[in-house]
Amino acid sequence: MNKSEPHADDLPLDPLERVMDGLLSELLGGVRPPDLSAEILERWASDDRPSTVRLDPRRTRMRRMIVAGSGVAAVAASLGLIAWGLGTTERLQPSNTSVAAALPRAATKSNEPLDPPGRPPAANVLADPSTTPPAANPPVAIQLDTSDVPFAQSEDRPGPTDIADHFAGPPPSSARAGRPSRMRPEQIVAEIDRLFEQFWTRKGFAEVQDAEAPEFVDRLHLSLTGIPAPSEQRDALVEQLTQTGPLGLAAQFVESSGASAHIGQRLAAMLVGHAAWERLSKAEQEQLTELVSPLSLGRKTYDQFLSETLSARGSIDPSSPQFNQNLRLLSAWNSSQQMDATKRIARLCFAQSIGCAQCHDDSINGGLEQRSFWNLNALVRNDLQWSNSNVREDRTTASGSIVNAPAVFFESLDGRQRVAEPTGIAAFVGKDLTAIPSLEQLVVLADEDGRLGRAAADLTWQFLFGESLVSTSQPLSGSSADAELIAVQSLLAEQTRAYDYHLPTVVGWLMSSRVYRTAGVDPVQLTRGPDALAAIEAARRRTQAWAAFKRPGQVRSLEKLLKLSELWTGGSVSGSDEQTLLAQLAPPTMMSRRPATPGSVANSSQEKSPEQLLLRASFPSDDPANLPLPWLEPIGRKGFESQVKHLYAWAGINDPSAEQMQAAERIRASVGGDPTHALRILHWALSESRLPMCL
Amino acid sequence: MAAAVVGRHQTGVWRFLRALGCEPSLADDLTQETFLQLLRQESFVHHSDAATAAYLRRTARNLYISRHRRERRLQVGAVAETVEAVWLDWTSPHDRSDELLSMLNECLQGLTERARLALRMRFKDNAGRAAIGDALGISEHGAKNLMQRAKHQLRECIENKLKSRQD
């Protein structure tokens, strides 16, 4: 330790004190700032590293051309896409009789050469300050970056030519500057597996077993078609699984129009957001489903789709000559003051939940400030303007910037009226802008910042597993995000970007990974010893309930959540066998489970209603899985109703209905009026079903 | 031009990193990295000292956070954000950390001798609280309180000076 340096354990948490300590150590301790000019300039002179990518509007125009061209060939290409997207890693799978054996093994060290380092022109110019306007600051990674992935710098990463060996029909080859290098698919899968192994081991999941082939077949069928495999076909499908591997099997399902419709519906609900989705008419839902079904999307990648959607102009009226079906998604977001659009764009472009920041600085979701929300909102409102609610006005100039942007005001927590600044979106793109971008340009900015990769990867993960890999609200649980899961997320984000946002490819990686292949039984329960059978049965019920909570379109009321709570504890629940089966077959969510606390039961000495006892048993207060919600304490002063609203807002429901509020009251009544316990139950219920309601 | 920018801003960046909690050697490293990131930007143009200082501060902060994350240490993002806000309050509109240091020196003269001694032992001799307490005939806890009060006093003094200059 430096002589003048304070003891490490004395590093103050108070920011003011930190500033003071830094100054005092210089003033009293003589720790003076050195002159580093020579070192810096010397390093700069010998610099050979690539520079950061800049916004290039030409790319967007190019995309338009690609999209226009692909429209003609979309239908013809769709089957090829599916076969390519889901069948590509098929050739990686050796024929074998077990699911696990049909999947990639751990990555082995390769002797292949490193990628040639990209060396863009070193045109580093510092212009004369007196003559140049303010420049856009370079993007700076604020969130997790690829350096968080320990293998990102792996020396055995293959060069682009290796990819062609494994992907006969790869995504359009990326000549885009700044794209990360592609890892081989089996390397990606192996790294995901390795990180999850670490995670499970650390969490105490001693036995994580692969699903048997019939269960895996049903799960895969369910993921892609919405129903388990028909019993009369199951044996044949198992046989096919052993021959072609999971992705070969998946390709068959997706080729059916039913699967395309199912995927389209789920994807549409995720893109629109479930709250907005619920508001749509059935016809509107069907139109959106059709718009984003795999058969319609063809070879469109995620960024292409977003660009095309956000740049769409014209009318949503099919009888109008200006009709543009791509406006349907924007129209679904077309709520008052574009709130939904703002939130959805933040989610879909930047993988960020921003609902809380509408009302206050959000210390939970990445420390987002309220003004950041409103700055983005101002940008959205400036560009996404409708005339007579049917026609989207074109407000962009030839250069793509927005003109005549009206001011957007918001009230900050101190009660002051403030003006939002549509260029002040550094919290999202890593830099403040000098000109107001179009929504379409946001996609490019998000790509450059790396957040688009994360958003696309998150979307894919949620499609398969029904919940986020790393919740932005994870600090709610009182602990920071798990390092292994963050690393998986970073890897997926980076490689999704490397593979040009081709989501079927990402689906392929995930379906090949162990987290998708694991059996539906909670492995923790298997380690409980003599009463293993009962534990397995309990675990099965827990899995059913857990999965049922996640299923979009099923969980819409707290009443239903309460019934599912009964299922959790083995109580009766109404519903067909088919529903139970559907729930049972959903992919397990191992990342979220926690070892249960043995013996955590209700206090039987007090007289309680059966419902109360049931809830107490379901959510014992000393179970760490029932979150203490420390952040609820400060807002608790505002009363139960306020806390409930915050929980709903956290779950993505910013404006809970009277029925939902009543449901919360009913929960409180069922636990003897204990607000804390009621909130824990509500939190549990909402967190288990968070994804469908959030998106 | 590059040399001029480095020369003008390196002290402010280094002090800001120290305020974030960097040890001197880490502050040296990150200061270099911060400027290299700026210099590598093809598109970067120097508009004003304030704008460049803000950009450098943001870059330094992000490098600091990334370093912590790589080392799997505590999350520091929120603290760094607040430190930056305080730093900005105290040194805006442009980097005037020299002036800040000068104010602090003046404010130190307003402390009691015991408080000054405690801070000197702490920051000059790197003495622990126990040693400071022994020297002053108070407990370790008492030494901690004494220094905290002194720093609080210094903070108020600086803020008063800043306010009076604004007025």
Side-chain angles (χ1 to χ4, degrees):
Chain A
M1 182 186 298
N2 185 294
K3 182 178 180 295
S4 316
E5 192 57 19
H7 291 288
D9 57 354
D10 285 346
L11 188 63
L13 287 174
D14 177 7
L16 275 167
E17 204 176 335
R18 275 200 192 190
V19 175
M20 188 67 71
D21 278 11
L23 294 171
L24 284 170
S25 69
E26 183 175 342
L27 195 64
L28 298 174
V31 187
R32 307 273 182 215
D35 184 356
L36 299 166
S37 304
E39 288 95 326
I40 292 168
L41 295 173
E42 187 179 339
R43 283 180 65 186
W44 181 43
S46 60
D47 200 358
D48 61 358
R49 277 184 276 186
S51 65
T52 309
V53 189
R54 286 180 298 151
L55 174 64
D56 181 3
R58 286 173 303 173
R59 210 182 118 212
T60 310
R61 287 197 286 276
M62 188 177 295
R63 279 184 189 158
R64 281 181 179 157
M65 293 164 64
I66 292 169
V67 168
S70 67
V72 179
V75 176
S78 57
L79 291 179
L81 156 78
I82 293 157
W84 161 71
L86 293 170
T88 42
T89 48
E90 173 188 346
R91 70 197 62 203
L92 301 175
Q93 323 299 337
S95 291
N96 202 305
T97 53
S98 78
V99 177
L103 296 164
R105 295 297 182 188
T108 53
K109 273 267 181 185
S110 163
N111 293 324
E112 289 149 353
L114 291 171
D115 286 345
R119 297 192 186 209
N124 300 291
V125 178
L126 284 172
D128 183 347
S130 63
T131 58
T132 49
N137 291 338
V140 177
I142 299 173
Q143 295 296 315
L144 301 163
D145 57 28
T146 52
S147 61
D148 288 303
V149 185
F151 43 83
Q153 307 302 325
S154 170
E155 290 188 356
D156 61 356
R157 185 184 298 179
T161 52
D162 301 310
I163 300 299
D165 297 335
H166 300 283
F167 285 80
S173 179
S174 174
R176 300 166 190 170
R179 282 279 192 275
S181 302
R182 291 174 175 177
M183 294 168 68
R184 283 199 300 262
E186 70 270 28
Q187 282 183 308
I188 296 169
V189 172
E191 289 296 346
I192 294 172
D193 286 355
R194 186 181 67 78
L195 287 164
F196 265 97
E197 283 294 341
Q198 279 183 13
F199 174 69
W200 287 327
T201 302
R202 186 167 61 77
K203 289 285 185 181
F205 294 106
E207 298 283 339
V208 181
Q209 299 177 338
D210 278 5
E212 294 297 324
E215 184 184 352
F216 185 86
V217 163
D218 276 343
R219 180 181 303 163
L220 196 146
H221 204 286
L222 179 67
S223 288
L224 298 175
T225 67
I227 54 171
S231 56
E232 67 273 15
Q233 295 178 16
R234 190 169 292 122
D235 288 345
L237 292 171
V238 168
E239 176 62 25
Q240 190 178 344
L241 173 72
T242 61
Q243 291 175 4
T244 67
L247 299 182
L249 186 59
Q252 278 211 342
F253 299 157
V254 179
E255 282 172 358
S256 70
S257 58
S260 185
H262 171 74
I263 293 170
Q265 185 182 21
R266 289 211 53 200
L267 195 56
M270 292 169 76
L271 292 169
V272 171
H274 278 264
W277 182 256
E278 293 279 295
R279 292 196 298 265
L280 298 177
S281 67
K282 192 164 177 57
E284 288 170 326
Q285 289 182 348
E286 285 173 356
Q287 287 166 352
L288 275 168
T289 296
E290 187 186 346
L291 180 68
V292 299
S293 71
L295 289 175
S296 300
L297 285 176
R299 276 188 170 270
K300 229 172 277 175
T301 56
Y302 182 67
D303 59 336
Q304 285 174 340
F305 169 76
L306 271 186
S307 286
E308 185 182 347
T309 300
L310 294 177
S311 65
R313 299 286 192 280
S315 171
I316 56 172
D317 180 1
S319 63
S320 165
Q322 292 177 286
F323 173 65
N324 184 343
Q325 66 169 355
N326 292 317
L327 285 168
R328 283 175 171 152
L329 184 61
L330 297 182
S331 174
W333 295 341
N334 187 21
S335 63
S336 171
Q337 297 192 322
Q338 305 294 1
M339 292 303 176
D340 279 355
T342 307
K343 292 169 190 171
R344 297 312 305 157
I345 286 171
R347 169 65 84 173
L348 297 176
C349 291
F350 305 112
Q352 177 108 28
S353 298
I354 62 169
C356 296
Q358 181 180 341
C359 301
H360 54 76
D361 290 352
D362 184 5
S363 59
I364 294 170
N365 291 310
L368 191 71
E369 292 181 356
Q370 189 192 15
R371 64 182 167 90
S372 296
F373 174 94
W374 287 98
N375 290 346
L376 183 63
N377 177 255
L379 195 153
V380 172
R381 283 166 68 176
N382 285 327
D383 193 4
L384 192 52
Q385 294 213 359
W386 301 81
S387 60
N388 66 37
S389 76
N390 277 335
V391 180
R392 185 184 177 194
E393 294 176 342
D394 193 352
R395 300 173 58 80
T396 53
T397 65
S399 66
S401 293
I402 305 298
V403 293
N404 297 327
V408 171
F409 297 93
F410 68 99
E411 186 176 301
S412 61
L413 274 183
D414 59 10
R416 293 184 183 177
Q417 196 82 352
R418 297 185 185 279
V419 185
E421 172 50 63
T423 54
I425 55 171
F428 300 102
V429 299
K431 59 186 172 187
D432 282 325
L433 307 172
T434 52
I436 302 173
S438 64
L439 293 183
E440 184 188 4
Q441 285 173 313
L442 281 187
V443 180
V444 181
L445 290 164
D447 169 36
E448 291 171 355
D449 190 64
R451 293 205 185 189
L452 190 63
R454 192 172 149 198
D458 281 358
L459 195 73
T460 313
W461 183 278
Q462 288 163 5
F463 177 83
L464 276 185
F465 296 99
E467 62 181 23
S468 301
L469 172 59
V470 178
S471 168
T472 54
S473 299
Q474 194 140 353
L476 277 174
S477 65
S479 62
S480 58
D482 294 288
E484 299 92 344
L485 303 188
I486 291 172
V488 172
Q489 187 188 46
S490 297
L491 169 70
L492 286 173
E494 182 202 57
Q495 289 303 311
T496 300
R497 186 164 177 250
Y499 278 83
D500 296 324
Y501 303 102
H502 190 258
L503 300 191
T505 299
V506 185
V507 169
W509 303 335
L510 293 177
M511 278 189 165
S512 300
S513 67
R514 286 203 72 197
V515 67
Y516 189 80
R517 285 151 37 204
T518 50
V521 174
D522 187 341
V524 168
Q525 302 291 340
L526 296 178
T527 64
R528 284 198 162 180
D531 201 9
L533 284 178
I536 290 172
E537 177 58 22
R540 190 181 65 79
R541 286 199 304 271
R542 282 167 60 96
T543 305
Q544 288 174 2
W546 192 289
F549 272 112
K550 294 185 307 176
R551 301 196 65 72
Q554 293 190 10
V555 181
R556 284 293 174 266
S557 70
L558 263 294
E559 195 164 324
K560 197 152 195 171
L561 294 178
L562 283 172
K563 284 191 175 176
L564 287 163
S565 304
E566 296 172 14
L567 177 62
W568 183 277
T569 55
S572 64
V573 63
S574 59
S576 67
D577 289 343
E578 186 189 14
Q579 282 178 321
T580 306
L581 184 60
L582 291 177
Q584 183 182 0
L585 293 172
T589 55
M590 312 301 294
M591 74 295 299
S592 299
R593 297 180 184 173
R594 294 159 180 270
T597 304
S600 50
V601 294
N603 182 357
S604 58
S605 63
Q606 297 175 20
E607 192 172 333
K608 300 181 190 307
S609 68
E611 187 183 18
Q612 193 173 345
L613 287 172
L614 182 65
L615 288 167
R616 289 267 181 207
S618 301
F619 310 100
S621 57
D622 58 347
D623 185 343
N626 290 315
L627 310 176
L629 296 182
W631 66 277
L632 273 177
E633 291 174 11
I635 64 172
R637 289 190 291 275
K638 297 177 183 173
F640 180 72
E641 188 178 315
S642 168
Q643 291 170 315
V644 168
K645 283 182 177 172
H646 270 84
L647 273 179
Y648 275 121
W650 168 76
I653 306 170
N654 288 311
D655 189 17
S657 66
E659 185 186 38
Q660 286 170 317
M661 294 302 293
Q662 285 165 7
E665 285 294 344
R666 200 162 59 248
I667 290 177
R668 181 161 73 155
S670 73
V671 292
D674 179 353
T676 306
H677 195 185
L679 288 167
R680 283 178 181 161
I681 293 171
L682 181 60
H683 175 265
W684 180 87
L686 290 173
S687 62
E688 298 317 310
S689 58
R690 182 177 62 231
L691 182 86
M693 288 194 261
C694 252
L695 282 170
Chain B
M1 185 63 202
V5 169
V6 174
R8 256 202 310 274
H9 293 282
Q10 61 169 324
T11 302
V13 170
W14 188 89
R15 281 181 178 145
F16 173 62
L17 284 163
R18 290 280 293 140
L20 286 174
C22 289
E23 293 179 11
S25 58
L26 182 57
D28 292 354
D29 290 348
L30 294 186
T31 300
Q32 290 190 38
E33 285 301 323
T34 300
F35 280 98
L36 284 170
Q37 284 214 4
L38 179 143
L39 297 173
R40 284 171 186 149
Q41 299 308 316
E42 293 173 45
S43 61
F44 188 87
V45 288
H46 174 91
H47 175 59
S48 67
D49 276 347
T52 301
Y55 165 67
L56 288 167
R57 217 169 29 245
R58 178 56 61 95
T59 305
R61 191 192 77 172
N62 290 335
L63 285 171
Y64 171 72
I65 291 171
S66 296
R67 177 68 65 103
H68 270 255
R69 283 181 176 154
R70 270 203 294 279
E71 294 172 2
R72 301 283 184 262
R73 289 161 72 180
L74 289 175
Q75 290 193 352
V76 294
V79 176
E81 184 93 25
T82 321
V83 168
E84 188 180 0
V86 172
W87 187 259
L88 193 59
D89 274 355
W90 283 11
T91 62
S92 61
H94 52 83
D95 180 18
R96 53 179 190 186
S97 55
D98 283 336
E99 197 178 335
L100 185 62
L101 215 59
S102 161
M103 279 186 208
L104 181 62
N105 200 14
E106 289 170 22
C107 291
L108 268 172
Q109 310 313 314
L111 295 181
T112 64
E113 184 55 40
R114 282 166 63 80
R116 274 205 302 274
L117 176 61
L119 291 178
R120 236 186 342 263
M121 290 182 71
R122 176 78 175 80
F123 289 98
K124 185 177 181 186
D125 307 327
N126 195 28
R129 289 175 192 148
I132 296 170
D134 284 347
L136 296 175
I138 54 179
S139 67
E140 183 179 342
H141 191 65
K144 179 184 171 189
N145 284 343
L146 176 65
M147 287 190 291
Q148 276 189 338
R149 277 199 304 274
K151 282 193 267 187
H152 185 72
Q153 221 173 315
L154 290 173
R155 182 196 307 176
E156 284 187 338
C157 173
I158 287 175
E159 284 173 347
N160 285 336
K161 283 179 182 293
L162 288 171
K163 190 164 183 293
S164 64
R165 292 191 185 192
Q166 282 169 1
D167 295 341

